[in-house]
Amino acid sequence: MIDLRIDEIVEAVGGALVGTPDCGLLVVGGDVHTDSRKVVPGSIFFALPGELTDGHLFVQAAVDAGAALLVVEREQPVSVPQIVVADGLLALSSLARVVVSRVRSSGDLKVVAVTGSNGKTTTKNMLWAILADQGSTVAPLGSFNNEVGAPISMLGITESTRFLVVEMGADAIGDITKLVSIAKPDVGIVLTVGLAHVGKFGSPEVTQLAKSEMVRDLPPTSFAVLNADDGRVSRMAELTSAQLCWFGLDASADVRAIDVDTTVDGTSFTLLVDGYSHSVQLRILGEHHVTNALAAIAATRALGIDVAAAVRALETMTRAERWRMEVMENPDGVVIINDAYNASPDSMAAALKTLAQVTGPERRSFAVLGEMAELGDYANEEHDRMGRLAVRLNVKQLVVVGHNARHIHNAAGLEGSWDGESILVDTVDEAYDVLHGRLRKGDVVLVKSSNSAGLRFLGDRLAGITT
């Protein structure tokens, strides 16, 4: 974070300074945390109340770790300077807004924000790879994209930061609007509108409304980067006054891909943009990541970055993110595709299609599938659809893990004349035992589920990685 005096922070968060500390004391570039375990000397600790616990219970731990300043909703019996606010979450957002505004006014900061039902984190990492070659870049680690994580990511900038990449998720209508009002993006990207987290929103139409908040308030000087292949996203063009830039496979896209091909070594395509044609070889697996790459190229092109430089940066990426289409080969020569950090119907279908593409007739394909969470009333239908898709793609062996994923197994059995090609187990350990006795050199295993199912650790175990 930039250096700020305590009185400046008090004004930014709209709080009251407790005790008689020196208001002019400089908080020098301190990190901002809501988790006391991450606090280091000089950090600012926000004690936020939550559904499961209360950050005020960990104030002493933060002080012991070296916190230089506390932001709390009720005064704490500690000697460290503290600012008491009415709403800690609102105070966090307010501080982020002030910091982003100050850096923007004093430097050359450009902000790129990305949202979508699928692909946010991969696209964020692709943007990071491109922009970091051009100047000091700040982007969140992992999926820091909610009302807490996104402002904390924004607070990581300093006066020397040239690019800020913000991933924006939503649990409710209005969430992205709030984040956009803080970051004021120069480029706003919308990737897809699908069934991910539809249990929270109730329908894809409400999800579309939530994601459209990314571009609704962008000024004419900003760019709205939209997916030409997604009808719900393309309709957002009517809602924004920003300059439009389209990406996708559709012939109308400004940044377009043709001749897409996927092998176990990566994904290739021909990029068409501004009369420019270039062969691109991503080391990241899966046709669906072509969409993410096009979005990143379109966004950085809007910032004036050379397309060839963007392509070179993307080609150096070895993986999208830990546990996202992460390809590993175990000592026995079995290829593991570990994609079990998150799952939605769209991403699971894409992963299954990738498995079929990279396996070919000379290899055996295994799909280990767990629950896709947060689907609400769509859960049974969408799990059923995944089971039928696995059969149609000729997956040789399906292992379904957990009661909540059982409809995948049931549907696979109903789809064709399978006899033992689908196995339902209750636990990750049972799945490992089934696979351990069947896998041989050359097999390709996809492991796919939502994070809550815990299959990502099964993928590591099959690859011989101890976590």
Side-chain angles (χ1 to χ4, degrees), residues 66-150:
L69 178 67
L70 308 175
V71 180
V72 297
E73 293 186 0
R74 52 185 183 272
E75 185 176 348
Q76 300 296 300
V78 293
S79 58
V80 172
Q82 54 188 295
I83 302 170
V84 180
V85 297
D87 186 324
L89 188 58
L90 181 61
L92 180 65
S93 296
S94 298
L95 181 59
R97 181 178 288 105
V98 168
V99 168
V100 171
S101 177
R102 183 173 296 196
V103 173
R104 190 190 291 275
S105 65
S106 64
D108 190 31
L109 178 69
K110 297 295 183 183
V111 179
V112 182
V114 57
T115 194
S117 296
N118 303 104
K120 293 187 295 297
T121 300
T122 297
T123 304
K124 175 261 298 180
N125 288 339
M126 289 177 165
L127 289 164
W128 195 355
I130 297 169
L131 296 173
D133 282 346
Q134 307 296 318
S136 176
T137 301
V138 170
L141 297 173
S143 299
F144 243 39
N145 61 26
N146 63 10
E147 59 187 353
V148 176

Side-chain angles (χ1 to χ4, degrees), residues 224-343:
V225 176
L226 301 177
N227 186 350
D229 301 329
D230 188 314
R232 289 192 175 96
V233 175
S234 63
R235 286 193 288 274
M236 296 178 191
E238 304 168 0
L239 306 175
T240 185
S241 59
Q243 301 169 69
L244 295 174
C245 182
W246 297 95
F247 65 91
L249 305 183
D250 190 88
S252 65
D254 302 304
V255 179
R256 181 184 172 208
I258 60 173
D259 302 329
V260 178
D261 185 47
T262 298
T263 71
V264 75
D265 296 317
T267 307
S268 64
F269 62 94
T270 299
L271 172 67
L272 303 179
V273 54
D274 300 329
Y276 168 93
S277 175
H278 188 84
S279 178
V280 181
Q281 180 63 60
L282 300 178
R283 299 163 73 181
I284 299 172
L285 190 64
E287 283 188 4
H288 51 301
H289 287 315
V290 173
T291 296
N292 302 329
L294 294 175
I297 293 168
T300 53
R301 168 179 171 267
L303 294 175
I305 293 170
D306 180 63
V307 169
V311 169
R312 286 194 298 271
L314 292 178
E315 289 183 328
T316 66
M317 295 181 65
T318 58
R319 64 184 182 190
E321 176 88 352
R322 183 81 165 99
W323 299 311
R324 285 180 168 90
M325 295 302 286
E326 184 176 13
V327 181
M328 302 169 284
E329 184 172 329
N330 73 14
D332 297 324
V334 177
V335 175
I336 310 297
I337 304 172
N338 195 347
D339 193 32
Y341 186 84
N342 212 340

